[in-house]
């Protein structure tokens, strides 16, 4: 599936819902989390709809690698200098709230609101 009409992150990718973008290319979008846990809290998403890590296969290794590899560059650009945290929540027990794969990247001075 390229886009899910009911998916909030697909709507952000399509520009139908606003977001504060931090990075964009042909296959990846990064934007600021609306309810940040940390002074800097970015979500990195594939532009095409992938519901969760449960749908990931070897064929997605390049995409996931590019999402991970983008994160240190983004943190640097956003002024994070003392480390950062990655989180991916998957499915119900993983407490995933938005069913469009997203990599949380959080940083900035402690204390944080959560995490
Ligand atoms: P998760 O529990 O991993 O599915 O996290 C979903 C994240 O998406 C939460 O941190 C939310 O604050 C964030 N979120 C939900 N809606 C939006 C939105 N419209 N723009 C930016 N972030 C959002
Ligand atoms: Zn989606």
């Amino acid at each position: 599936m390229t886009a899910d009409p009911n998916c909030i992150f697909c709507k952000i990718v399509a520009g139908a819902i606003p977001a504060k973008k931090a990075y964009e290319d042909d296959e990846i979008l990064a934007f600021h989390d609306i309810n940040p846990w940390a002074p800097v809290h970015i979500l990195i998403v594939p532009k095409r709809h992938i519901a969760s890590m449960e749908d990931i296969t070897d064929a997605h290794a390049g995409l996931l690698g590019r999402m991970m590899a983008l994160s240190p560059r983004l943190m640097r650009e956003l002024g994070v200098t003392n480390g950062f945290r990655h989180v991916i929540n998957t499915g119900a027990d993983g407490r995933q709230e938005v069913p469009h794969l997203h990599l949380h990247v959080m940083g900035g001075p402690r204390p944080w609101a959560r995490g």
Side-chain angles (χ1 to χ4, degrees):
M1 194 188 308
T2 306
D4 178 336
N6 298 312
C7 171
I8 187 165
F9 288 175
C10 283
K11 289 179 184 170
I12 287 176
V13 167
I17 290 181
K20 191 176 167 201
K21 292 181 185 178
Y23 174 85
E24 183 167 17
D25 65 24
D26 287 350
E27 62 175 355
I28 293 170
L29 178 67
F31 53 93
H32 292 260
D33 195 293
I34 204 168
N35 186 18
W37 293 19
V40 175
H41 185 164
I42 297 292
L43 302 176
I44 303 178
V45 309
K47 283 191 165 179
R48 58 168 293 221
H49 185 81
I50 299 170
S52 82
M53 285 298 294
E54 275 167 341
D55 295 321
I56 291 298
T57 68
D58 286 353
H60 300 101
L63 170 65
L64 284 186
R66 287 186 285 279
M67 289 166 60
M68 287 297 280
L70 173 63
S71 57
R73 172 184 149 191
L74 270 185
M75 290 296 108
R76 264 193 308 275
E77 286 176 4
L78 293 166
V80 172
T81 56
N82 199 36
F84 45 87
R85 171 175 288 184
H86 293 95
V87 171
I88 299 179
N89 298 319
T90 303
D93 286 350
R95 297 255 164 92
Q96 183 180 5
E97 289 172 5
V98 176
H100 179 129
L101 177 64
H102 50 282
L103 170 62
H104 296 256
V105 194
M106 292 164 271
R110 298 275 180 175
W112 291 2
R114 287 172 73 187

